[in-house]
Amino acid sequence: MILTALALTMAVQGRCTALDTRLPRPLYGWTRDGKGLDTGHAVTLPARKGAIETRITIRKPGKVGIAIDQDGWIDAFPLKGSKALDMTSESKGPRCSTIHKILYYRMRPGTYRVTVNRLKGARAKLMLTHD
């Protein structure tokens, strides 16, 4: 009986009782809706034929993350270029969050085109992070 109680306690500790309540500092804005893909807030964009295209403006050079709430293929392009930037890393979203994954790129100041393809839903939630 003691082993059963211990097993149940451990199982309950492994579950999420609330989503998006303990996000790390760079992702605090995930729960705030805003206009345009940027840091500090998330944006939900409509998909057309399983794809989204938007622009971002980077003001400071560094490692920029693009967080998304579902499976999707994310690419970032210089505004005047057809070659996608090389992704530097990818991570899963934090535990107990609705962030599915975050892709990271090294970016310099300027405007970029972001495309998200292979979406299954009618919209996707996105957010930028900047380290």
Side-chain angles (χ1 to χ4, degrees):
M1 209 154 52
I2 293 174
L3 288 176
T4 303
L6 181 60
L8 287 173
T9 301
M10 289 173 62
V12 168
Q13 289 175 350
R15 288 190 211 144
C16 297
T17 56
L19 297 175
D20 297 332
T21 58
R22 292 193 171 143
L23 294 171
R25 188 168 195 67
L27 297 171
Y28 279 176
W30 182 253
T31 59
R32 290 190 296 270
D33 291 327
K35 294 185 179 179
L37 182 54
D38 205 346
T39 58
H41 64 264
V43 62
T44 301
L45 299 172
R48 295 175 76 180
K49 296 183 181 180
I52 292 171
E53 183 170 320
T54 190
R55 291 184 181 178
I56 59 172
T57 299
I58 302 301
R59 294 175 280 292
K60 295 186 309 185
K63 187 172 158 185
V64 176
I66 303 172
I68 187 168
D69 67 343
Q70 60 189 278
D71 278 332
W73 188 268
I74 301 171
D75 283 309
F77 301 84
L79 189 59
K80 296 182 181 179
S82 58
K83 184 179 182 303
L85 299 177
D86 291 330
M87 179 182 60
T88 59
S89 63
E90 177 180 356
S91 68
K92 290 185 179 233
R95 188 177 177 291
C96 297
S97 80
T98 56
I99 298 171
H100 181 71
K101 66 180 176 180
I102 307 170
L103 277 68
Y104 295 94
Y105 301 89
R106 287 261 169 228
M107 294 185 177
R108 295 184 179 133
T111 303
Y112 295 83
R113 183 171 48 95
V114 174
T115 62
V116 184
N117 295 293
R118 301 180 190 168
L119 294 169
K120 294 197 181 355
R123 61 185 60 66
K125 184 175 179 179
L126 302 162
M127 183 179 146
L128 290 184
T129 67
H130 197 285
D131 293 341

